[in-house]
């Protein structure tokens, strides 16, 4: 180290470490307790840290700043290596769940598909791996997706639509769940259809003669498009295609179709595949397009839990379908993704909040007076306003993310149980639960992926130019993130869908007094007939005095907003005309869910795992700041729908908000440390734990950009530039020199 | 073309061309007139199209979709080639301005630096090239920046701070303006200081013995950072460093420092340079860091228009400085960038609006009823709300961008004239004009670069998954764009600076009746004492009845907002506490400027160049929609500051807004065509003129992703995957096979 890489401790300038150390020394918050709160429970917290520790220290899986310099091909190669590495962790994780490391080879027994040797695979078996994958996705999102498509989309499509035998065959015997033998992709969207799944055009025509389906792409717009893993990795696809039997179109069903020979990776007959190429982010995923040219698959490859093509011994064919369940199952593959994206929102949000808060504390700019040391960014009220509410976002996401995940798994278990036992009553109950889960997950997925897109963007801007450096994570982080707002349900479409269901519940409750006390009591308690009445009559009023008020004000707003929408729809007879307001309903529903879940968790002595009062107090401030920030953001609606008056906004909401900022600021480093993200997970030197911003950043830049081969600062393409700079004059002989007066006069002769 | 690349014209599905053709056939708008309106005048319009035509057809400068697949090194090489190409256009453009193509070699005469041979270079000489560069920057932003740093930052730094002789020497005789001999970079920001220029730490110590400056980087945080062109291209830098003479620190001044030998590109003694590496966007720019280790330059290399180090024959040294002008000139290099960014906002905005509107018209999704054809996205009210106000944004930017540009050049001419003739009175006037220009350009730069960042992001989302494909331009477009929110003045810092000046003007006017009728009448007419009085007294009321009202409502809002801020500051005695509101002042000031300039231009029969009434009507709708959209967006403030009541928002603003959407929708394709952007400038197949969305997109994807060398769909890294899929069981002999019961029992013996 020469002296130009040191920082003069006596200069008036910058020594960020001391500021961050000071914050740590002064904070009275119990970081341990907060992390347990954020990780849901001590057991889950322990698992999180074990897994993170393995991931960031694994020589193949760990991700350094050189990640930000990789080309598309390099990214894809590295991702493939990491997938192979994760495959061995998968075996390890299943054995860990089953506590089975000796005696017999569990994997061999599972693939034997013999219940006497090993019980069939369940969701529980891959619960550790699921969490591992969710954490990996936080470090290397494209890796997460590439495995997530195989297990979460391909796998869940089979689980949701296949018979027990089909599930066992494809996922266990053939090894797909073990990431063996089969690598799957999920061929739903087409070039011409994304959101409108029912209008997909790929055809699956049943051919009686061969007792097989002929899969065909009728025209260009029916080309399967955006299929993750199709370009280079997938050996099989679950394909959404129109079932056509004896000329009749039964709508879109799912089929397992082999694409490639797993050993040679050559495409099978009739399969055309191409690479979708460069994307805004996640270039490590080999998204592809697929066209089928009369590809033949046996009848048994149609996933047949809810729709069956039955061939009688006499050769006649019937189609048996359970439309209601069929529809539900159709979405269940996407449900897993949505639930996971809420968890991703927590983890991504905490990562970028950590980076930006540490930078804001360590960075100084402008002194109040000449000669005084410069002010830390975090001490500017505007900077507090830009950073601290964003820090609160992942705090408010965490409880709802865990709750949604738990509810997803328990509902899925119920569904499998009910559908395997063909218990009709149980099926009806579980299908209602699933519908509620659709509403919550759609609204939470859309709202949270938007919130985090905003968070990354706004926090990048708070880091100034250094936020634009790829090595500080925001650029790739944003590009990788924003696809979450579009895929597996476009956020606007999801918001409309969930809001329309909420509006229907509202109308049922308000006009007919209908309310399912058992099913709707949690997420939809603001839709109780009595509650709606009390809001409309003015009996229930908005205030911000008690902790519960910060949630309830959103319930009141939702009721008033829904009532306003109801009136407009009645007048216009068009639901489309209120769609802008419906998107708000979905947002407000999600914000309320987040606040309510957080409130209930923190309020519970058993669930919160917070025993320290100062810590609890600090977490209540986070809760209040989050609510106030979004009330202020939506002060237009809060005034328009008369939840607050202009004066209440000026005298209550905004002053409370401004007053909270310096209070939350006091604990901001502890609240950041409480995410307990190791540097290797942040992968952004301006945000590392030690706060040595400038050295860390400088060193990473130098490491990734060594001196050029021909001399420091001399580019391989220097000839392009020196030729230009050294060029002569146009009228020189070498260029013909025709235009001087002398030459021209010769030509004039 | 096989049939899988055709679209079945009889199918219920998608044929986007016919929709776009239909819109064109039905629209009554005169595209020609609108384009003249947007391009400011017929003459300017003609020049724009001549230049665009040359650029998109130039074999080196044209940019295809393969641009989106280039690696960082490829981007840099290609950019270097394009720079060399632009250098010959520069010569051509100067000769065009001077109408000098024969007789003598103008370039040779200019470099001879002899006024008898050729008049000195002026801004007028490079006016065509400036426009060419601005248009190139719209197609290839990194190329624009790389040349812009040389001419706009390096060049303007010399023009703003150098003596006439220095300007003539560096820019003309040495050839910098001709992009010859010298390639410059602008070494202002350091690792530790960006916005706070006054605290830069690089030292320039005058050494009496050698009559030279010793330039030195005192510590790591003083490393010059983010310097565009430094890593690989620049031969010289204008360096911001602290002038220290005989131990006294005179603050930050500017120096020309040679970095590299232009022919060998080797670094000169004492210069350390490194590559900053990967960025969120614009990887074709070779941003670098620079450290100086006692680098010696002659005294004459300090730019000395306003600060001079004078050495007497007796060897004594004095420093002469004109502090007020010095400060102004310090910022003038950045002024050019800000003015250009407003123009970029117009051009970037029109590009992405074109793509998204054409896609919204051509794309269908979901049918109202089974069997009916699917609805065009643009016919959904929510989609109209998402797309059409964004289409209005570039319309509202254009007039103010041209006006600001004109005002910049005329003020600069005044400045040079006044400072060359040392006319004190003229200097005082022009310095006031410059200050106003700082306010307007800061507020417009910040607001418009934010508006366009939002526009690109929101419009990308309206294109669903296809918006995430790199080939449709949004990804790289966004990544390249957002640095505009940070560089050459961080948007928040700029907003605060301009708002504080506006607040000062407000206070002067409201409390002391001070208002400069001559200088402030245009941008600051809402700050006239009488006007402020009439708003505060309620005499001037908000309404939305006449066209002028859509601008005036913003004037009223500004006055009320400023009055509110005034009260808060009086109470708190802290300007920092209202900084969130000050950012709003800057935004509202910019929105008002945009509306006012647009209103005045369209209202003028001579300036608007619109003779057709239907066309004018349509442009008034654009104006109204823009204003209403932002009133609604800011309905929180409009209600809080009592510009409109909740009922007015519900009954006037929002219904007017919703009613305008389908009206503007009728002309949306014509309003898009009116930008007259050729496909080669859009470089995004879903937005091409013919509307053949799916073919264009599919063909570009296929062209950029040809079949893999080892077989279609077989990745070069297939072994990684096939080895994983074919792997055996852990207990096999090859892995030691130690854990079977049989083996374990042997070990147990």
């Amino acid at each position: 180290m020469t002296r130009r890489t040191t920082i003069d401790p006596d200069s008036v300038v910058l020594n960020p470490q001391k500021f961050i150390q000071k914050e740590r020394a002064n904070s009275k918050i119990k970081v341990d307790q907060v992390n347990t709160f954020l990780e849901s429970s001590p057991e889950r917290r322990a698992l999180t840290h074990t897994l993170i520790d393995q991931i960031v220290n694994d020589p193949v899986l760990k991700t350094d700043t050189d990640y930000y310099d990789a080309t598309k091909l390099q990214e894809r190669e590295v991702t493939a290596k990491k997938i192979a590495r994760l495959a061995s962790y998968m075996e390890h994780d299943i054995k860990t769940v089953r506590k089975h490391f000796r005696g017999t080879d569990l994997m061999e027994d599972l693939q034997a598909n013999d219940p006497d040797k090993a019980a069939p695979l369940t969701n529980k078996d891959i619960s550790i791996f699921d969490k591992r994958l969710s954490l990996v996705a936080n470090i290397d999102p494209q890796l997460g997706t590439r495995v997530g498509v195989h297990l979460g989309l391909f796998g869940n499509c089979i689980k949701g639509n296949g018979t027990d035998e089909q599930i066992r065959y494809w996922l266990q015997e053939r090894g797909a769940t073990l990431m063996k033998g089969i690598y799957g992709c999920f061929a739903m969207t087409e070039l011409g259809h994304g959101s409108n799944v029912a209008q997909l055009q790929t055809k699956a025509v049943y051919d009686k003669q061969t007792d097989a389906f002929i899969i065909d792409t009728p025209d260009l717009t029916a080309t399967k498009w955006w299929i993750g893993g199709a370009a280079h990795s997938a050996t099989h696809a679950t394909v959404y295609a129109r079932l056509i039997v004896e000329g009749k179109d039964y709508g879109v069903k799912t089929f397992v179709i082999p694409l490639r020979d797993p050993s040679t990776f050559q495409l099978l007959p009739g399969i055309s595949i191409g690479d979708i190429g460069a994307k805004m982010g996640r270039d490590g995923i080999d998204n592809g397009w697929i066209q089928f040219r009369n590809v033949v698959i046996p009848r048994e490859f149609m996933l047949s839990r809810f729709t069956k093509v039955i061939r009688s011994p006499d050769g006649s064919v019937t189609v048996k379908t359970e439309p209601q369940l069929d529809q539900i199952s159709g979405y269940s593959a996407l449900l897993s993704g949505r639930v996971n994206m809420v968890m991703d929102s927590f983890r991504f949000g905490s990562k970028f909040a950590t980076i930006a808060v540490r930078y804001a504390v360590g960075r100084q700019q402008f002194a109040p007076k000449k000669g005084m040391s410069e002010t830390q960014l975090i001490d500017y009220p505007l900077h507090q306003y830009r950073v601290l509410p964003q820090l609160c976002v992942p705090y408010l996401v965490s409880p709802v993310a865990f709750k949604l995940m738990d509810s997803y798994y328990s509902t899925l278990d119920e569904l499998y149980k009910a559908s395997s036992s063909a218990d009709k009553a149980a099926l009806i109950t579980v299908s209602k639960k699933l519908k509620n889960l659709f509403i919550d997950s759609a609204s939470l997925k859309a709202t949270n992926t938007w919130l985090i897109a905003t968070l990354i963007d706004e926090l990048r801007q708070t880091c100034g130019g250094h936020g634009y450096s790829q090595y500080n994570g925001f650029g790739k982080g944003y590009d990788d993130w924003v696809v979450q707002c579009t895929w597996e349900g476009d956020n606007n479409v999801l918001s409309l869908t969930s809001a329309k269901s909420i509006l229907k519940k509202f109308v049922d409750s308000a006009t007919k007094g209908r309310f399912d006390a058992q099913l709707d009591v949690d997420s939809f308690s603001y839709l109780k007939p009595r509650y709606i009445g009390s809001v409309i009559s003015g009996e229930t009023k908005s205030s911000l005095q008690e902790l519960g008020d910060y949630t309830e004000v959103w319930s009141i707003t939702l009721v008033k907003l829904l009532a306003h929408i109801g009136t407009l729809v009645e007048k216009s007879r068009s639901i489309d005309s209120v769609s802008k307001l419906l998107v708000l309903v979905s947002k407000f529903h999600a914000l309320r869910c987040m606040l309510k879940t957080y409130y209930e968790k923190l309020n519970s002595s058993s669930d919160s795992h917070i025993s320290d009062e100062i810590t609890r107090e600090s977490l209540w401030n986070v809760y209040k700041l989050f609510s106030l920030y979004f009330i202020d953001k939506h002060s237009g609606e809060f005034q328009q729908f008369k939840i607050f008056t202009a004066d209440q906004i000026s005298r209550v909401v905004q002053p409370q908000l401004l007053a909270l900022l310096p209070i939350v600021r006091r604990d901001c480093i502890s609240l950041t440390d409480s995410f307990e993200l190791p540097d290797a997970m942040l992968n952004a030197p301006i945000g590392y734990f030690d706060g040595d911003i400038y050295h860390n950043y400088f060193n990473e830049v130098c490491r990734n950009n060594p001196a050029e081969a021909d001399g420091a600062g001399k580019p391989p393409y220097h000839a392009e530039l020196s030729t230009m700079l050294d060029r002569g004059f146009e009228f020189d002989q070498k260029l013909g020199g025709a235009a001087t007066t002398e030459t021209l006069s010769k030509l004039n002769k």
Side-chain angles (χ1 to χ4, degrees), chain A:
Chain A
M1 299 267 260
T2 73
R3 74 187 173 88
R4 289 328 188 288
T5 68
T6 63
I7 294 171
D8 177 3
D10 298 328
S11 97
V12 288
V13 278
L14 315 154
N15 186 352
Q17 277 174 289
K18 68 173 182 211
F19 291 114
I20 291 178
Q21 284 156 2
K22 200 174 109 193
E23 300 290 334
R24 287 204 180 105
N26 289 344
S27 176
K28 296 194 177 99
I29 284 188
K30 307 285 181 217
V31 166
D32 254 29
Q33 294 189 9
V34 179
N35 187 248
T36 307
F37 176 84
L38 287 168
E39 293 293 343
S40 172
S41 70
E43 301 71 33
R44 283 176 160 175
R45 179 185 175 206
L47 181 59
T48 298
H49 291 296
T50 302
L51 295 176
I52 289 181
D53 192 51
Q54 282 179 342
I55 294 165
V56 302
N57 290 295
D58 185 289
V60 178
L61 294 178
K62 72 172 178 168
T63 304
D64 295 327
T65 49
D66 55 9
Y67 176 72
Y68 300 121
D69 271 303
T71 64
K72 186 172 69 189
L73 181 59
Q74 286 168 342
E75 289 189 58
R76 290 187 177 181
E77 276 184 45
V78 168
T79 309
K81 279 184 198 156
K82 290 181 175 180
I83 293 171
R85 187 81 182 154
L86 282 175
S88 25
Y89 276 108
M90 169 63 98
E91 297 195 2
H92 183 269
D93 290 345
I94 293 175
K95 289 192 266 185
T96 305
V97 172
R98 296 219 178 173
K99 301 186 175 61
H100 183 137
F101 282 91
R102 40 190 296 145
T104 58
D105 190 327
L106 179 59
M107 297 305 124
E108 204 168 357
D109 290 348
L110 283 168
Q111 284 204 253
N113 198 2
D114 175 356
D116 292 340
K117 290 188 170 171
L121 279 169
T122 64
N123 280 336
K124 187 169 175 252
D125 288 312
I126 54 169
S127 57
I128 294 180
F129 186 83
D130 266 350
K131 178 145 195 165
R132 184 185 298 279
L133 189 60
S134 163
L135 293 166
V136 156
N138 190 37
I139 297 172
D140 188 353
Q142 55 204 16
L143 171 62
T145 306
R146 219 153 124 167
V147 178
V149 167
H150 167 68
L151 291 173
L153 292 176
F154 175 81
N156 282 338
C157 182
I158 293 176
K159 282 188 204 163
N161 298 283
T163 61
D164 288 353
E165 295 72 29
Q166 288 177 321
I167 296 172
R168 207 83 61 75
Y169 174 73
W170 292 111
L171 299 183
Q172 184 167 323
E173 184 174 334
R174 293 291 304 273
T177 296
L178 313 177
M179 301 172 70
K180 214 168 177 178
I182 283 179
Y183 204 82
C185 67
F186 181 72
M188 188 169 84
T189 46
E190 297 175 356
L191 183 53
H193 287 92
S195 296
N196 188 4
V197 175
Q199 273 299 307
L200 293 171
Q201 296 297 311
T202 302
K203 288 194 170 92
V205 179
Y206 179 69
D207 179 51
K208 238 175 162 173
Q209 280 199 306
T210 52
D211 193 14
F213 291 107
I214 299 167
I215 313 291
D216 197 60
T217 302
D219 80 353
L220 177 69
T221 58
T223 304
K224 290 292 174 188
W225 201 260
W226 277 122
I227 312 308
H232 288 141
S233 323
T235 61
H236 291 67
T238 46
V239 176
Y240 283 66
R242 313 196 74 76
L243 172 64
I244 294 163
V245 180
E246 299 186 321
K248 185 173 170 190
D249 184 333
Y250 289 86
V252 173
K253 308 294 165 197
T254 49
F255 303 82
V256 177
I257 304 185
L259 301 176
R260 283 183 175 84
D261 178 328
S263 51
T264 66
F265 267 71
Q266 296 291 350
L267 298 177
L268 297 178
I271 307 281
S272 294
I273 277 184
D275 188 347
I276 293 274
K279 299 183 293 289
M280 184 170 177
R282 304 198 186 214
D283 269 338
I285 309 168
D286 54 325
N287 291 86
W289 55 263
I290 312 175
Q291 292 179 341
F292 301 99
R293 289 178 163 75
N294 290 330
V295 172
V296 185
I297 56 164
R299 177 168 48 84
E300 290 76 359
F301 282 20
M302 183 173 106
L303 295 170
S304 306
R305 180 171 284 264
F306 303 112
T307 301
K308 291 180 182 29
V309 175
I310 301 161
R311 190 186 173 93
S312 303
D314 68 356
S316 70
V317 175
T318 49
V319 177
K320 200 185 143 203
T321 184
E322 296 179 64
Q324 202 193 4
L325 290 170
D326 199 23
Q327 201 200 356
I328 287 172
S329 70
Y331 287 101
S332 68
L334 295 177
L335 201 52
S336 143
R338 288 173 200 165
V339 169
N340 273 304
M341 280 186 249
V342 182
M343 189 61 80
D344 291 349
S345 299
F346 159 51
R347 300 222 177 263
F348 250 72
S350 49
K351 179 163 145 177
F352 290 104
T354 300
I355 300 167
V357 169
R358 288 184 182 157
Y359 184 76
V361 169
R363 173 80 168 183
Q364 297 159 269
Q365 204 79 181
F366 292 110
K369 276 185 192 161
K370 218 178 157 178
M372 287 174 74
S373 78
E374 293 180 78
T375 307
Q376 294 166 259
L377 297 189
I378 197 67
D379 286 328
Y380 290 103
L382 181 60
H383 210 84
Q384 291 177 0
Y385 173 73
R386 293 168 69 196
V387 167
L388 298 177
Q390 301 299 340
L391 168 61
C392 298
V393 171
Y395 271 86
L396 269 290
V397 183
S398 159
V400 89
F402 279 100
K403 186 177 168 188
L404 187 68
M405 186 73 82
D406 289 343
S407 154
Y408 165 71
Y409 279 115
S410 68
T411 312
L412 228 55
D413 282 349
E414 270 185 63
L415 175 70
Y416 293 142
K417 208 182 282 172
S419 89
S420 291
S421 65
D423 176 342
K424 288 272 174 190
L427 268 172
I428 288 168
T429 308
V430 78
S431 83
K432 280 186 190 163
K433 279 193 190 170
L434 266 173
K435 275 183 194 163
N436 276 357
L437 201 57
F438 287 142
I439 301 174
D440 278 349
S441 65
S443 145
L444 286 165
K445 179 271 191 186
T447 304
N448 281 297
T449 55
W450 270 331
L451 285 180
I452 300 305
T454 303
L455 176 149
I456 300 172
D457 177 51
E458 303 224 330
L459 292 181
R460 175 184 56 72
Q461 292 191 54
T462 67
C463 297
H466 302 331
Y468 197 70
S469 166
Q470 202 65 279
Y471 306 112
N472 290 319
F474 288 97
K476 196 163 166 45
Y478 184 84
D479 288 347
D480 284 352
W481 181 260
V482 291
V483 71
Q484 307 251 45
C485 302
T486 298
W487 69 11
E488 304 193 24
D490 172 82
N491 277 2
N492 277 286
V493 176
L494 284 185
S495 299
L496 287 181
T497 313
S498 71
K500 283 176 187 172
S501 302
I502 293 170
L503 180 64
K504 195 182 171 308
K505 281 180 193 280
F506 171 80
V507 172
D508 281 352
S509 173
T511 64
K512 299 171 201 156
R514 274 195 215 146
F515 181 80
D516 190 327
Q518 209 187 331
L519 281 169
D520 290 350
V521 74
D522 189 20
S523 292
F524 305 98
S525 54
Y526 62 96
L527 295 177
K528 277 185 195 156
R530 233 171 59 89
Y531 189 75
I532 292 177
S534 79
V535 170
I536 303 286
S537 72
E539 183 191 328
T540 295
K541 281 197 180 61
S542 326
S543 79
L544 291 174
Q545 285 166 357
E546 286 168 37
L547 287 169
D549 296 342
Y550 294 83
T551 296
E552 182 161 16
V553 71
W554 293 93
S555 303
I556 295 171
T557 306
L558 275 159
V559 170
K560 292 202 175 179
L561 177 58
L562 285 161
H564 178 74
I565 292 172
T567 317
L568 290 179
V569 173
E570 216 169 316
K571 222 187 291 175
S572 68
R573 298 266 143 224
S574 151
I575 187 99
D576 271 350
S577 67
V578 295
S579 44
K580 182 192 149 205
L581 297 173
L582 288 172
V583 174
L584 276 181
V585 168
S586 161
K587 272 189 196 166
F588 290 179
H589 177 77
L591 292 174
R592 177 190 176 270
C593 274
M594 293 158 74
L595 284 159
K596 182 168 181 281
T597 314
Y598 185 100
Y599 173 83
E600 284 167 0
K601 185 174 175 77
L602 187 55
N603 215 20
S604 148
S605 54
S606 58
D607 274 7
S608 69
H609 310 286
I610 305 283
S611 58
D612 177 66
E613 275 316 307
I614 293 179
T615 305
R616 187 189 304 273
E617 189 58 32
S618 182
L619 292 182
W620 282 128
N621 288 330
V622 166
Y623 161 83
K624 286 198 270 184
L625 181 55
F626 180 90
S627 184
L628 289 165
Y629 179 77
F630 286 101
I631 294 170
D632 185 48
K633 277 264 160 204
H634 291 286
S635 72
E637 289 82 23
F638 273 79
Q639 292 172 84
Q640 187 184 349
F641 302 121
K642 298 175 187 170
I643 291 90
F644 290 122
T645 64
D647 289 348
Q648 284 174 311
I649 296 289
S650 293
R651 288 182 203 158
V652 180
V653 174
Q654 290 175 351
Q656 274 205 22
L657 169 61
L658 288 179
L660 261 179
L661 290 172
I663 295 172
V664 173
R665 179 252 171 278
R666 284 203 302 254
D667 293 322
C668 67
I669 284 291
S670 299
L671 289 170
T672 303
D673 289 349
S674 296
F675 294 126
E676 297 198 342
L677 299 173
D679 290 348
M681 198 146 178
L682 297 172
N683 203 20
I686 59 169
Y688 288 166
F689 185 81
D690 66 8
D692 195 5
I693 293 172
Y694 300 109
H695 284 124
N696 292 338
Y697 179 28
F698 184 74
N699 291 339
E700 292 295 333
V701 166
C702 291
R703 191 171 68 79
N704 286 295
N705 298 278
E708 291 73 8
D710 289 348
K714 183 177 177 184
Y717 53 86
H718 75 279
E720 302 288 348
L721 295 167
S722 53
T723 306
M724 170 186 84
L725 295 176
D726 286 348
R727 77 188 186 279
F729 294 105
E730 190 185 342
F731 290 5
D732 283 356
Q733 287 305 324
K734 62 175 175 174
L735 281 167
T740 60
T741 309
E742 200 184 355
T743 315
L744 291 176
S745 70
K746 277 188 222 169
L747 293 169
N748 276 332
K749 269 173 196 162

